[in-house]
Structure formats: structure tokens, C-alpha cells
Amino acid sequence: MFGRISAYKCVLASILGIMRRFLVWPSKLIWPGNLPYIALFRTLHEKDAVDHMVLPSRWSISRLQFFIIICFIETIYHWLPGYIMPILTAFSWMCLINPKNIILSQLTGHYGLGMGSFQFDWKLLTSYLGSPIITPRWAQANILIGFVLFSWIIIPIFYYTNLWNSKTLPIATFDTVLVDTGNNFVLHASTGTILFYGMYFASLSSILIHTVLYHGRDIIKQFRTSLYRRDNDIHCKLMSKYPEVPEWWYGSVFILSFTCACIVMHLGHFMKWYFVCAGVGVALVYILPTGILAAKTNQILNIKAIGYIIGAVAISDNPIGFLTFKTFVIQTQIQALTLILYLKLSHFMKIPPRALFSTVVIGTSVSVLTSYAMADYFLNNIKDICVNNVNWTCPHTTHSWVSVDSLWGENILSSQTAFIPPTGIYSSMLWFFLIGALLPIPFWLLNEKYWHRIKWLKHVHFPLIFFVGSLIPTMAAGTVPTWLFIGFFFSTVIHKWWWNRYGLLFSSGMDIGVAIATIIIYFSFINRNISFSEWWGIGGPHNDGCPLSQSPLVPSY
């Protein structure tokens, strides 16, 4: 396990050298996730004079004062959703009218389709889509379209028409069940799970075509230029004063880490060494398009489905190899994009590139070696760890990911995978690859012809629309309406001067307030197994006061 982690962490460090000219240097790619940190750093380290020309004197307040106030208020408030009144994390007021009505529960429950549900917990609100304050308004519009289309229109149609016998499972959750047909067992998946993969397939093909059409010219331009030739970018101009990291540094790290990864895969009997080539190749193909998406919208499109497909076809007879390959693909992409995010932060904050390179390489090496040594020591020296030792338990895989792996991994009882043709019962979902690839083309052609008359055409983003549709089973649907409302409020209703001065600090203050409250609650109560008394504010088993939101309409299994 930790050998795999060490291998892909080293490989991804070398990928940064290739992608920095495309994802770090361009001024158009701002990586919104960095903005709250930059605002916080400036607030803590720069002198801030109150602008009396903009703010009336009685409302005058410095940025530091505003940050402290928001942080303090959120620290106090988070005790409600975080411990005292969990129903605020999933407030389904419409379902509370008649919680015993299963259809009403499925439609309005926070963990159903979330119609009329609200989210009053900042921690859970930002856990999937990030802070709504830093997401551009055009991206919010695409998220709205994707959410309404797939969560409130397509899923109910598929479910209540009983397509794929879907009424026997919950409407919008990851659920699978093995059905005994007499001769063998057939894997049956919920509507949310099936459409999750359909939307994921569409987003994976759509983002490649979208990147080529909308960003192809810029990519070619970035390939032919360097940091020193970007005179119109003040950040690049200032960063060019530092010695740049030579390309051969990154190349050397890649050769060394790739060799080590192959050795680890072979000696550890995880999978054949040449699957490392496939994993790195897939990551290289998708890091650029998914990086552009993240740099513009703060949304990361995970490529886990590619790992599942290749693993299911090529190494389905080796469960360890299957899990190793998909982990290699997923973590290489996610951690590479995370480090590119930090590279952009250092670009804004003017940190010398060679100092950052040394810090990343040394920090990664120390962390993986330390993690491996600790894990190896615990597993070999603590009796019954992860089995019967109540003092040393291990995190269990969530039900959703068990369902995912059972859909793709070789199933001993049925000897088939659900999405792989010709025997896969859901193999028709693979057509979404074609749908996702074709849809961006007509809108790009319209934009090329009518861009000066129809301004909104350039903001149509099918990869983002499909991406949101694929999030519904993993993310509670009731989170999205509140997320969109807050995003619209800050980007449209709040005056521009307020957002520029305080909006980003509001996001940072909320994050830090939640972190402080969570630490206090954990060590004061959760760690001591002290739970709050049972009352209406607990919200039942799902915290939404809607106990039937995850129940099937026809409980046949």
C-alpha cells in the first residue's frame, strides 16, 4: 500500500515540469482555490488602512478585524451543526411535513434528490464543490444546468419508470446488490450509480474535445514561449528574476521515480511493471485538460473511471493489481493537480522556483518514507490490528466505494463486470463517451460564428455540466441548491467593492472557524464518546429528519 503511494508521489513530482508552462505561467489561469489563501496572507502581513471613501465611517472596519469577527462567529456557530443540532447539516423542511411518505422523502430529502433542502454547515457545503464564493458566475450557471437536468429531471424519469428495475433500490445513492437468478448471481445497481458512470464517461470524453477546440490555440502558443517572454504578465516578469528550474531536473526525477515505481510494482507483486506506463500515460493525457478546468472553475474532474475501465479489461483477474492500477491513476492525477495549485500559489507569492522544487522533493521523500516506516511497524508489532483490537481499528471502506469496486472488479459469482461489453448489463452506458465527445462541437462552431452577437455561447461548458451530473450519488443532492444560492449571492447581489475587499476573507474565516470548532468538539466530546442528548435537532439516522430518503420504493431484495 505505502510502496504504491511512494511510487506515484515521486512520479507526479516530475510531471509538474511538463505542465507548469501550460497551467502555472498563463495569467488567464488563476486557480481560484488560491485566492482565499492569498487574501489571508495579505491581511496578516500587510498594513491595511480603512478606506473611508468607500465605506461610511460608522461601518469602517479593517480586513484583519473582519477576518477575526467571521472566524469567531463561525467557531461559535459550528457547534450547532457539528454537535448540538446535526439536522442543520441536512435540513429537509418539505420532508418534515410528512416524513412517512416515501416518494416525498425521495424527492425532498437531503440524501434523496434534495428538492427544497438546505445546507447550513459550511464544512459539508464546501466538501465537494469547494467554496461557492470563489467559483466564477459562468461556472455556477453550468453547475446549475447540470444539477437540475440530471438530478431533478433525468434521474426521476429513469427511476419512476422503473428502468433497469430501479425501484428496488434507493433513488440517488451508490447501491448495488447481487440478485440470485438461479444459475448465477447478477449485479444490480441503483439509478444514481448507473447514471453516475454515464455522466462520468461523457465528462471524460467531453473535456478532451472541449480542450482541443476552446484552448488548442493557447496550448500551442504556450508550448512555444517561455517565462521570460511574458512581458505583459507582471507575475511572470517578477518571477523571471529568479533562476528557473532546468527541465533536466524534472527529467531526472521522472526517470528515477519511474524506475523505482516499476521495481516496487514487480517486487511487491502488485501488478505488472508495464501497467505503470499505462497509468502515467493516462495521467499525462488528462492532467492538462482537467488542470485547465480546475484553474478556471476550482472544480477537479477525477479520472477514476479510466482507471476502472482499463483495470477491469486488462487485469480483472488480479484484484490487487486492479486496485493498485486504479489507485495509481487516480492519485497521480489528483496529487499532481494539487501540487500545481501550490506552484501557482508560489507564482503569485514570488517564491523562488528552485527553493520550491527542493521543498517538494525533500518533503515528499521524507513523508512517504516516514509513513511507510510507521505503517510497517504498526502492522507487524500490534497484535490483531484492524481485526479484533478495539484500541487499534482501521478505517473501513465506505459502502459507496465497495459498490464501485464490485461493479468493475471481477465478480467471482457472476464472472462478469457490469459495464464491460458484451456481457455487462450496463454496457450501454459506454455510449456516453460518444455523446460527451460530440456535444461540444456544435456549440463551438456556433461560438466561432456568432461570438460577437451571442456572448454566452463561450461560457457553455459541457465537461462541467456532465461533471456535476456525475457527483449526485457521491454528494448529497441537497447541498447543491444552498451552494448555488450562496455563490449567486456573493457574485451578483453583493456589491463588487465588498467582494473584492471582504469576500475572499469571508471564505477563509469560515474555513478556519470550522477547523477550530471541529478540533475543540473532537477532543472535548467525540474522542471521549460523549454524544449530545437525543432530541428533534438530531434529525434521525440521516440527520435530515427524513428517514425514508434512502429507502427503495419497492423493497424486493
Side-chain angles (χ1 to χ4, degrees), residues 21 30 33 42 63 67 69 100 149 203 224 238 252 275 297 316 393 412 437 445 455-456 484 517 537 543:
R21 67 174 60 247
I30 63 174
R42 291 189 59 190
R63 289 183 295 179
F67 170 75
I69 291 172
K100 295 183 179 180
L149 180 62
S203 65
R224 295 175 177 175
L238 293 174
S252 300
F275 284 113
T297 68
S316 62
T393 58
I412 298 175
L445 293 174
K455 302 295 183 181
W456 59 266
L484 288 169
N543 300 132

Side-chain angles (χ1 to χ4, degrees), residues 43 83 319 340 348 377 488 493:
T43 299
Y83 184 69
I340 291 173
F348 284 142
Y377 175 81
F488 174 79
V493 179

Side-chain angles (χ1 to χ4, degrees), residues 25 30 36 105 149 176 198 267 279 302 332 376 422 456 462 487 506 525:
W25 295 348
I30 63 174
S105 298
L149 180 62
T176 59
L267 296 181
N302 195 303
T332 298
D376 183 70
W456 59 266
F462 279 102
F506 181 87
F525 299 99

Side-chain angles (χ1 to χ4, degrees), residues 53 56 61 69 72 108 134 194 222 253 262 273 290 328 336 344 351 372 413 487 528 530 545:
M53 297 299 293
I61 184 174
I69 291 172
F72 176 78
T108 64
I134 61 178
I194 300 168
Q222 302 298 340
V253 172
C262 293
W273 65 268
T290 58
F328 205 100
K344 188 67 175 185
I351 299 174
Y372 180 82
L413 295 176
R528 300 179 181 180
I530 302 175

Side-chain angles (χ1 to χ4, degrees), residues 176-379:
T176 59
V177 63
L178 286 173
V179 181
D180 188 358
T181 62
N183 298 324
N184 61 355
F185 290 86
V186 177
L187 198 64
H188 178 50
S190 66
T191 303
T193 304
I194 300 168
L195 290 178
F196 162 84
Y197 277 105
M199 298 306 103
Y200 233 127
F201 298 156
S203 65
L204 289 172
S205 59
S206 179
I207 197 169
L208 294 177
I209 303 301
H210 182 94
T211 301
V212 171
L213 296 178
Y214 287 85
H215 304 289
R217 298 189 187 99
D218 291 335
I219 291 173
I220 295 174
K221 181 180 178 181
Q222 302 298 340
F223 184 78
R224 295 175 177 175
T225 188
S226 66
L227 185 66
Y228 305 96
R229 297 177 182 175
R230 302 170 188 268
D231 296 331
N232 61 331
D233 187 341
I234 185 61
H235 296 290
C236 287
K237 185 175 182 180
L238 293 174
M239 287 297 289
S240 66
K241 304 299 181 182
Y242 294 116
E244 186 54 64
V245 177
E247 296 289 345
W248 68 267
W249 286 24
Y250 289 98
S252 300
V253 172
F254 175 78
I255 294 173
L256 177 62
S257 58
F258 183 83
T259 303
C260 291
C262 293
I263 293 174
V264 169
M265 295 302 108
H266 177 73
L267 296 181
H269 303 288
F270 295 118
M271 63 181 182
K272 300 294 184 181
W273 65 268
Y274 44 80
F275 284 113
V276 177
C277 302
V280 174
V282 170
L284 284 174
V285 169
Y286 274 97
I287 282 176
L288 180 56
T290 58
I292 294 175
L293 175 65
K296 287 180 171 291
T297 68
N298 197 41
Q299 306 300 323
I300 296 180
L301 173 59
N302 195 303
I303 59 172
K304 63 172 79 73
I306 296 294
Y308 287 133
I309 292 174
I310 298 177
V313 172
I315 47 180
S316 62
D317 57 339
N318 179 7
I320 299 298
F322 170 77
L323 294 174
T324 300
F325 179 79
K326 65 102 174 178
T327 302
F328 205 100
V329 171
I330 294 170
Q331 294 301 324
T332 298
Q333 182 228 7
I334 293 299
Q335 295 202 36
L337 291 182
T338 301
L339 289 177
I340 291 173
L341 175 72
Y342 296 151
L343 276 179
K344 188 67 175 185
L345 178 63
S346 70
H347 188 76
F348 284 142
M349 303 305 294
K350 311 302 175 292
I351 299 174
R354 295 191 177 188
L356 182 69
F357 179 86
S358 302
T359 301
V360 169
V361 173
I362 295 173
T364 300
S365 302
V366 171
S367 67
V368 296
L369 291 174
T370 303
S371 299
Y372 180 82
M374 292 179 62
D376 183 70
Y377 175 81
F378 289 149
L379 291 173

Side-chain angles (χ1 to χ4, degrees), residues 539-552:
H542 306 308
N543 300 132
D544 60 352
C546 197
L548 300 179
S549 59
Q550 297 189 39
S551 299

